[in-house]
Coordinates of all heavy atoms in Angstrom, one line a residue:
Y24 N 110.9 103.0 88.6 CA 111.4 102.7 89.9 C 110.1 102.5 90.9 O 110.2 101.7 91.8 CB 112.2 103.8 90.3 CG 112.7 103.8 91.8 CD1 113.5 102.8 92.3 CD2 112.4 104.9 92.5 CE1 113.9 102.8 93.6 CE2 112.8 105.0 93.9 CZ 113.5 103.9 94.4 OH 113.9 103.9 95.7
L25 N 109.2 103.4 90.7 CA 108.0 103.5 91.7 C 107.2 102.2 91.5 O 106.8 101.6 92.5 CB 107.1 104.8 91.4 CG 105.9 104.8 92.2 CD1 106.2 104.9 93.6 CD2 105.0 106.1 91.7
Q26 N 107.1 101.7 90.3 CA 106.3 100.5 90.1 C 107.0 99.3 90.6 O 106.4 98.3 91.1 CB 106.0 100.3 88.4 CG 104.9 99.3 88.2 CD 105.4 97.9 88.3 OE1 106.4 97.7 87.9 NE2 104.4 97.0 88.7
R27 N 108.3 99.2 90.5 CA 109.1 98.1 91.2 C 109.1 98.1 92.6 O 109.0 97.1 93.2 CB 110.5 98.3 90.6 CG 110.8 97.8 89.2 CD 112.2 97.7 88.9 NE 113.0 99.0 88.7 CZ 113.9 99.3 89.4 NH1 114.3 98.7 90.5 NH2 114.5 100.6 89.2
L28 N 108.9 99.3 93.2 CA 108.8 99.4 94.6 C 107.4 98.7 95.0 O 107.3 98.0 96.0 CB 108.8 100.8 95.2 CG 110.2 101.4 95.4 CD1 110.2 102.9 95.6 CD2 111.0 100.8 96.5
I29 N 106.4 99.1 94.2 CA 105.0 98.6 94.5 C 104.9 97.2 94.4 O 104.4 96.3 95.2 CB 103.9 99.3 93.7 CG1 103.9 100.9 94.0 CG2 102.6 98.7 93.9 CD1 103.2 101.7 93.0
A30 N 105.5 96.7 93.3 CA 105.5 95.1 93.0 C 106.2 94.4 94.0 O 105.8 93.3 94.4 CB 106.0 95.0 91.6
Q31 N 107.4 95.0 94.5 CA 108.2 94.3 95.4 C 107.4 94.2 96.8 O 107.6 93.2 97.5 CB 109.5 95.1 95.7 CG 110.5 94.5 96.7 CD 111.2 93.3 96.2 OE1 110.7 92.6 95.2 NE2 112.2 92.8 96.9
S32 N 106.6 95.1 97.1 CA 105.9 95.1 98.4 C 104.9 94.0 98.5 O 104.6 93.6 99.5 CB 105.1 96.4 98.5 OG 104.0 96.5 97.7
R33 N 104.5 93.5 97.2 CA 103.5 92.4 97.3 C 104.2 91.0 97.3 O 103.4 90.0 97.5 CB 102.7 92.5 96.0 CG 102.0 93.8 95.8 CD 101.5 94.1 94.4 NE 100.9 95.4 94.4 CZ 100.5 96.0 93.2 NH1 100.8 95.4 92.1 NH2 100.0 97.3 93.2
Q34 N 105.5 90.9 97.3 CA 106.2 89.6 97.5 C 107.3 89.8 98.4 O 108.1 88.8 98.6 CB 106.7 89.3 96.1 CG 107.7 90.2 95.4 CD 108.0 89.9 94.0 OE1 107.5 89.1 93.4 NE2 109.0 90.5 93.5
F35 N 107.4 90.8 99.2 CA 108.5 91.0 100.1 C 108.3 90.1 101.3 O 107.1 90.1 102.0 CB 108.6 92.4 100.5 CG 109.8 92.8 101.2 CD1 111.0 93.0 100.5 CD2 109.8 93.1 102.6 CE1 112.2 93.3 101.1 CE2 111.0 93.5 103.2 CZ 112.2 93.6 102.5
P36 N 109.4 89.5 101.8 CA 109.2 88.7 103.0 C 108.8 89.5 104.2 O 109.4 90.5 104.5 CB 110.7 88.1 103.2 CG 111.4 88.2 101.9 CD 110.7 89.4 101.2
G37 N 107.8 88.9 104.9 CA 107.3 89.6 106.1 C 106.1 90.5 105.9 O 105.5 90.9 106.8
I38 N 105.8 90.6 104.6 CA 104.6 91.5 104.2 C 103.5 90.6 103.7 O 103.7 89.9 102.7 CB 104.9 92.6 103.2 CG1 105.9 93.6 103.8 CG2 103.6 93.3 102.8 CD1 106.4 94.6 102.9
R39 N 102.4 90.6 104.3 CA 101.2 89.9 103.9 C 100.4 90.5 102.8 O 100.1 89.7 101.8 CB 100.3 89.5 105.1 CG 99.1 88.7 104.9 CD 98.3 88.3 106.1 NE 98.1 89.4 107.0 CZ 97.0 90.2 106.8 NH1 96.1 90.0 105.8 NH2 96.7 91.2 107.6
V40 N 100.1 91.8 102.9 CA 99.4 92.4 101.9 C 100.3 93.7 101.6 O 100.5 94.5 102.4 CB 98.0 92.9 102.3 CG1 97.4 93.8 101.3 CG2 97.2 91.6 102.8
G41 N 100.6 93.9 100.2 CA 101.5 95.0 99.8 C 100.6 96.1 99.5 O 99.4 96.3 99.8
L42 N 101.2 97.0 98.6 CA 100.7 98.3 98.3 C 99.7 98.2 97.1 O 100.0 97.4 96.1 CB 101.9 99.3 98.0 CG 102.8 99.6 99.0 CD1 103.9 100.5 98.6 CD2 102.2 100.3 100.3
S43 N 98.6 98.9 97.2 CA 97.6 98.9 96.1 C 97.9 100.0 95.2 O 98.8 100.9 95.3 CB 96.2 99.1 96.7 OG 96.2 100.5 97.2
P44 N 97.3 99.9 93.9 CA 97.5 101.0 92.9 C 97.1 102.4 93.5 O 97.9 103.3 93.2 CB 96.6 100.6 91.7 CG 96.5 99.1 91.9 CD 96.5 98.8 93.3
R45 N 96.1 102.5 94.4 CA 95.9 103.8 95.0 C 97.0 104.2 95.9 O 97.3 105.5 95.9 CB 94.5 103.7 95.8 CG 94.2 105.0 96.4 CD 92.8 105.0 96.9 NE 92.5 104.0 97.9 CZ 91.2 103.7 98.3 NH1 90.1 104.4 97.9 NH2 91.0 102.7 99.1
A46 N 97.7 103.3 96.5 CA 98.8 103.6 97.5 C 99.9 104.2 96.6 O 100.6 105.2 96.9 CB 99.2 102.4 98.2
G47 N 100.1 103.6 95.4 CA 101.2 104.0 94.5 C 100.9 105.4 94.0 O 101.8 106.3 93.8
M48 N 99.6 105.7 93.7 CA 99.3 107.1 93.1 C 99.4 108.1 94.2 O 100.0 109.2 94.1 CB 97.9 107.1 92.7 CG 97.7 106.2 91.4 SD 95.9 106.1 90.9 CE 95.5 107.9 90.5
S49 N 99.2 107.8 95.5 CA 99.3 108.6 96.7 C 100.7 108.9 96.9 O 101.1 110.1 97.2 CB 98.6 108.0 97.8 OG 98.8 108.9 99.0
L50 N 101.6 107.8 96.8 CA 103.0 108.0 97.0 C 103.7 108.9 95.9 O 104.5 109.8 96.2 CB 103.6 106.7 96.9 CG 105.2 106.6 97.0 CD1 105.8 107.2 98.2 CD2 105.7 105.1 96.9
L51 N 103.2 108.8 94.6 CA 103.7 109.6 93.7 C 103.3 111.1 93.9 O 104.1 112.0 93.8 CB 103.2 109.1 92.3 CG 103.6 109.9 91.1 CD1 105.2 110.0 91.0 CD2 103.0 109.4 89.8

């Protein structure tokens, strides 16, 4: 679920730059 959120951020309409792996680790 967490990885899908991160991946979705990189292709989500309105977002130019999504979440990095470091952001994912911090979120977890």
Side-chain angles (χ1 to χ4, degrees):
Y24 172 62
L25 179 59
Q26 199 280 324
R27 285 188 287 117
L28 280 170
I29 297 170
Q31 179 74 345
S32 74
R33 299 165 186 167
Q34 59 187 13
F35 193 73
I38 296 180
R39 176 172 54 87
V40 179
L42 300 175
S43 67
R45 178 165 60 188
M48 294 175 64
S49 180
L50 173 59
L51 180 59

